[in-house]
Amino acid sequence: MTHIYNFSAGPAVLPKEVLQQAAAEMLDWHGSGMSVMEMSHRGPEFISIYQQAVADLRELLAVPDNYKILFLQGGGLAENAIVPMNLVGRVAQPATVDFVHTGSWSGKSIKEAARYANVNVAAKPADGFTSVPPQESWKLTPGAAYLHLCTNETIDGVEYNFVPTVQGDTPLVADMSSHILSRVIDVSKYGVIFGGAQKNIGPAGLTLVIVREDLLGHALPICPSAFDWKIVADHDSMYNTPPTYGIYIAGLVFAHLKKIGGVAAMERINIEKARLLYAALDADDFYSNRVAVADRSRMNIPFFLRDESLNDKFLAGAKARGLLQLKGHKSVGGMRASIYNAMPIEGVQALVDYLNEFAGR
Ligand SMILES: *Cc1c(COP(=O)(O)O)cnc(C)c1O
């Protein structure tokens, strides 16, 4: 097999060891004679897989006891509707929901929430999506049903390096699809954390929701029961069939992360990977990244060539070296390197070597 490094923004690279273990267990999981894909979600084998995955994730993120960990379907995008359907009913109607608009993904969340509540954009940078507006500038709504942030904008490469303070009992909702488990977080500062799995956790089709218990039980009557967090929590994510194989792979990823020292150890490696890559991009003006230095993502790094007529040549040369999926998102252009947890530092170094070589350094 040819050796490559996969810089895809998602679905994205997974740890080799995890894929090898999944391959070895594909036809016969732990002597059961069954593939995990063939198991009843209510049988003892799968229940043990599920319980271990939940326990390991709880340990990795130090999730407090008064939070539920839910595994759903629908992806990050479906949560843009599921979140308001579950939270808007907490406050008197008509409800208002606050957003900070920092890029493409928070933009999509705003559009979807507007179907269920009044939406207030508390802040949006004036000059494109290249920074997180300072919290002093946010115009928050007293009594808002919740405040929604996308704490890592996958397309724009903007990441929060702080947890904002919220007013009153307004819960903070964070879309962490593309950086969950990449850094240490204080779960107790959030009401809801959600994310699609296919960036840092496992295969597409699995969605993670971590929700504080007092926020359960407010679903609007129009909310499908399969997406009513209270019903899902009361059934340990088995109200309907959960994405069982996705949960299994996520469990292997959690166990792998524990083995390498947990989220704090992972964060140290991620800081070093991002430092290496940004240093190469900043070395001179051959390349540029337009995001304010303090708000630069450690996971998704968009960049441009000074001479954009060289884009195709750059991508062809990268591909020839096994550096794959570096083309930027169509809404931003240029290039994008996604360096999630499973991207080894050797992969970042290989990209840095190519950046230097292509620039003629
Ligand atoms: C990928 C992504 C999503 C969407 O996930 P889907 O699984 O495609 O619905 C939402 N938010 C962020 C921040 C993402 O990176």
Side-chain angles (χ1 to χ4, degrees):
M1 203 170 85
T2 47
H3 190 73
I4 61 100
Y5 291 111
N6 174 6
F7 295 91
S8 169
V13 59
L14 286 167
K16 261 272 124 50
E17 299 86 334
V18 164
L19 296 178
Q20 280 161 347
Q21 186 176 345
E25 296 176 347
M26 173 62 79
L27 297 180
D28 177 8
W29 183 82
H30 294 202
S32 66
M34 292 181 280
S35 171
V36 174
M37 268 182 266
E38 303 171 308
M39 290 174 184
S40 164
H41 57 299
R42 305 196 190 282
E45 297 90 352
F46 185 74
I47 296 285
S48 74
I49 290 171
Y50 158 81
Q51 285 174 342
Q52 192 64 49
V54 172
D56 285 347
L57 181 61
R58 196 175 279 282
E59 183 183 329
L60 282 166
L61 289 176
V63 178
D65 288 344
N66 62 325
Y67 284 72
K68 296 285 191 193
I69 293 175
L70 310 179
F71 293 132
L72 296 150
Q73 313 209 29
L77 206 66
E79 287 304 316
N80 287 339
I82 296 167
V83 169
M85 281 195 282
N86 276 277
L87 293 185
V88 158
R90 299 179 53 246
V91 297
Q93 305 299 304
T96 297
V97 178
D98 283 343
F99 282 86
V100 180
H101 192 175
T102 46
S104 295
W105 286 113
S106 49
K108 288 191 185 189
S109 304
I110 289 168
K111 222 168 129 194
E112 192 74 16
R115 299 159 58 126
Y116 305 95
N118 297 321
V119 162
N120 168 50
V121 178
K124 179 181 178 182
D127 51 349
F129 297 121
T130 53
S131 64
V132 176
Q135 201 187 342
E136 309 82 75
S137 69
W138 299 6
K139 304 224 164 13
L140 298 173
T141 310
Y146 60 93
L147 165 62
H148 177 121
L149 313 174
C150 177
T151 45
N152 185 62
E153 289 278 4
T154 320
I155 291 174
D156 306 274
V158 173
E159 182 170 11
Y160 282 71
N161 277 303
F162 64 97
V163 185
T165 43
V166 282
Q167 298 175 339
D169 71 344
T170 300
L172 192 55
V173 173
D175 176 357
M176 295 195 183
S177 295
S178 52
H179 74 161
I180 192 155
L181 294 170
S182 73
R183 58 191 298 152
V184 174
I185 53 168
D186 180 353
V187 174
S188 72
K189 297 242 164 64
Y190 301 86
V192 178
I193 291 168
F194 73 85
Q198 70 271 27
K199 280 73 183 242
N200 245 349
I201 295 180
L206 168 66
T207 316
L208 169 69
V209 174
I210 302 173
V211 52
R212 210 173 61 217
E213 278 168 0
D214 63 282
L215 300 175
L216 300 172
H218 303 286
L220 299 176
I222 56 162
C223 181
S225 353
F227 293 139
D228 178 335
W229 292 334
K230 170 102 172 62
I231 293 177
V232 177
D234 287 347
H235 291 82
D236 290 325
S237 297
M238 312 252 179
Y239 178 67
N240 67 329
T241 313
T244 51
Y245 200 75
I247 292 171
Y248 159 69
I249 298 287
L252 297 184
V253 170
F254 300 154
H256 178 258
L257 201 47
K258 274 176 62 177
K259 207 168 84 192
I260 65 169
V263 176
M266 192 71 247
E267 179 172 17
R268 285 193 291 277
I269 299 170
N270 286 332
I271 289 171
E272 180 56 15
K273 280 154 51 183
R275 192 196 61 75
L276 268 175
L277 186 45
Y278 283 113
L281 295 173
D282 291 343
D284 54 38
D285 64 358
F286 193 90
Y287 304 103
S288 66
N289 167 281
R290 298 171 185 167
V291 179
V293 170
D295 304 326
R296 284 173 160 183
S297 172
R298 293 174 188 162
M299 294 283 106
N300 309 99
I301 302 177
F303 61 94
F304 300 88
L305 275 61
R306 181 183 53 202
D307 178 358
E308 294 224 86
S309 72
L310 296 176
N311 283 359
D312 289 344
K313 193 173 168 220
F314 177 88
L315 287 168
K319 194 169 172 204
R321 281 161 186 75
L323 307 173
L324 304 185
Q325 311 210 60
L326 283 164
K327 194 175 162 67
H329 189 272
K330 59 185 182 307
S331 68
V332 174
M335 310 297 157
R336 174 174 49 167
S338 295
I339 53 172
Y340 295 118
N341 284 358
M343 170 59 66
I345 197 155
E346 293 79 13
V348 177
Q349 190 57 57
L351 175 57
V352 164
D353 292 345
Y354 176 58
L355 289 168
N356 287 333
E357 185 188 318
F358 191 82
R361 288 178 194 143

